[in-house]
Amino acid sequence: MSKLWNVAVVGATGAVGAQMIECLEERSFPVGKIKYLASARSAGEILEFRGKPVVVEELTHDSFEGIDIALFSAGGDRSREFCPSAARAGAVCIDNSSAWRMDPDVPLVVPEVNPLAIAGYTKKGIIANPNCSTIQLVVALKPLHDYAAIKRIVVSTYQAVSGTGKKAIEELHGQIRSMLQGLPADCTVYPHRIAFNCLPQIDSFLENGYTGEEMKMVNETRKILETEIGVTATAVRVPVFYGHSESVNIETVKKITVDKARELLKSAPGVELVDDPATRAYPMPIDAAGQDLTFVGRIREDESIVNGLNLWVVADNIRKGAATNAVQIAEILIEKYLK
Ligand code: 25A
Ligand code: L14
């Protein structure tokens, strides 16, 4: 029998943590011992792994003895504080938060795009999972970039509330229920009502007028594609539960026709082409939810420039945008690097 690995899920009670557990189960990850960690608030709660009960423990600096792989999704502050302890105890951390992504000694990995970067994990014992919006963007653009060399990316996102976690999912449910009864909607997670609305703010505003989410897409895309490509982003929250959508415009060095783009995307890893205007087939969050692929459609030439293309890209933000990507990294790690 092949080797089994001891895995800790940090933030096991959250939206992403729960999906990480499900991905480990679905993908038959060779788990030996499993450990669920969260805040003191959730300690003692009983969750399951492969049908057996697992008690949630409080995350402490001593949580990682004997752990081989630690999947983190409990917010950036916890990752900053606890990834170094986990790494010291010998665990490789795969971190979903933004804490380590731009650290030059931490690889930022999307398995379909830059799997070889994983080798850099030895420097700090940490591998960063990119922002959800960045992951689906680079999965769709990598084959086009390899063929035609992208010079500039203009992206606008339409992001689901699940990205913010469980409380935001509950907030949208609650607001819809209240409004249908003619009652006022409570806003606690977001600064304005999200039900039947769009919020052009994700994360806080920075000095340059962009939001944190927008600048993550700029910086992380460049780090993953290893270029100084021009990237500009507008990130918008929409009243969707699961699945981020993106309107993407690219300018390339070499000409790329719609047919060529379709051909490249048809055989691209992790991509499903859904692009048949005649039958009104295009990617939508209701179809992407629960899936691990990145869906691409609405491919058109940008007729306002010489070499330009428009596309529409949709993926499940909690799966490919977070949990699935992290478990895929763990799969490569045990196959190629850990002994
Ligand atoms: O800082 P970042 O990187 O920007 O990330 C911020 C948040 O974004 C989500 C994730 O939320 C994270 O907290 N996130 C991160 N990466 C993401 C990605 N790639 C991402 N979302 C999408 N894509 P989440 O809801 O998914 O998960 C939160 C988890 O973190 C645990 N946690 C919080 N503080 C902790 C901690 N774990 C250890 N130590 C700490 N100090 C959290 O566990 C959850 O698992 P919990 O025990 O705090 O919460 C369990 C339940 O309690 C509810 N709850 C939360 N806060 C309160 C609360 N109840 C009462 N009072 C509160 N103040 C939660 O709803 C949960 O059900
Ligand atoms: O940086 O609120 O991965 O939708 C992902 C979810 C940032 C917030 C990250 C959201 C987070 C984002």
Side-chain angles (χ1 to χ4, degrees), residues 30 33 50 106 115 169 301 326:
K33 197 174 77 187
R50 296 186 174 144
V106 172
I169 298 172
E301 269 187 44

Side-chain angles (χ1 to χ4, degrees), residues 76-136:
D77 293 342
R78 262 71 60 191
S79 295
R80 259 181 291 277
E81 189 179 346
F82 292 96
C83 286
S85 318
R88 232 174 284 124
V92 180
C93 302
I94 302 173
D95 181 33
N96 239 299
S97 81
S98 52
W100 300 98
R101 289 178 189 153
M102 296 313 294
D103 185 318
D105 292 333
V106 172
L108 183 62
V109 178
V110 179
E112 293 88 342
V113 178
N114 63 339
L116 299 178
I118 290 178
Y121 83 90
T122 50
K123 291 187 191 144
K124 284 205 164 136
I126 304 171
I127 300 167
N129 215 42
N131 173 278
C132 34
S133 306
T134 306
I135 293 178
Q136 65 184 72

Side-chain angles (χ1 to χ4, degrees), residues 80-293:
R80 259 181 291 277
E81 189 179 346
F82 292 96
C83 286
S85 318
R88 232 174 284 124
V92 180
C93 302
I94 302 173
D95 181 33
N96 239 299
S97 81
S98 52
W100 300 98
R101 289 178 189 153
M102 296 313 294
D103 185 318
D105 292 333
V106 172
L108 183 62
V109 178
V110 179
E112 293 88 342
V113 178
N114 63 339
L116 299 178
I118 290 178
Y121 83 90
T122 50
K123 291 187 191 144
K124 284 205 164 136
I126 304 171
I127 300 167
N129 215 42
N131 173 278
C132 34
S133 306
T134 306
I135 293 178
Q136 65 184 72
L137 181 69
V138 296
V139 166
L141 293 187
K142 171 72 171 162
L144 308 180
H145 182 51
D146 286 346
Y147 174 81
I150 298 173
K151 284 202 282 196
R152 179 169 185 250
I153 302 170
V154 182
V155 54
S156 299
T157 68
Y158 304 65
Q159 297 186 218
V161 297
S162 53
T164 319
K166 274 188 183 171
K167 279 195 178 156
I169 298 172
E170 287 157 17
E171 178 150 307
L172 177 56
H173 271 297
Q175 289 180 354
I176 293 171
R177 261 196 313 270
S178 299
M179 292 185 69
L180 293 181
Q181 293 168 1
L183 299 168
D186 285 341
C187 303
T188 54
V189 176
Y190 297 121
H192 306 280
R193 198 182 84 209
I194 181 60
F196 310 107
N197 198 12
C198 296
L199 306 177
Q201 178 192 349
I202 296 184
D203 206 340
S204 41
F205 283 102
L206 307 173
E207 262 176 21
N208 64 359
Y210 285 79
T211 61
E213 182 78 356
E214 290 162 350
M215 292 314 295
K216 283 176 197 169
M217 294 186 72
V218 172
N219 297 323
E220 294 177 22
T221 299
R222 288 179 177 156
K223 179 168 173 176
I224 297 163
L225 295 179
E226 293 177 40
T227 65
E228 289 303 307
I229 275 177
V231 184
T232 187
T234 302
V236 181
R237 184 83 58 196
V238 296
V240 165
F241 286 103
Y242 295 95
H244 287 358
S245 305
E246 298 178 342
S247 162
V248 185
N249 174 265
I250 57 171
E251 185 175 3
T252 54
V253 174
K254 191 169 132 184
K255 177 85 191 163
I256 179 165
T257 63
V258 169
D259 285 345
K260 186 69 193 175
R262 284 189 181 144
E263 179 197 318
L264 291 167
L265 288 164
K266 229 179 216 159
S267 58
V271 173
E272 184 157 320
L273 186 68
V274 184
D275 194 14
D276 186 18
T279 60
R280 299 189 184 112
Y282 33 71
M284 294 184 287
I286 53 169
D287 298 324
Q291 306 287 318
D292 288 324
L293 296 170

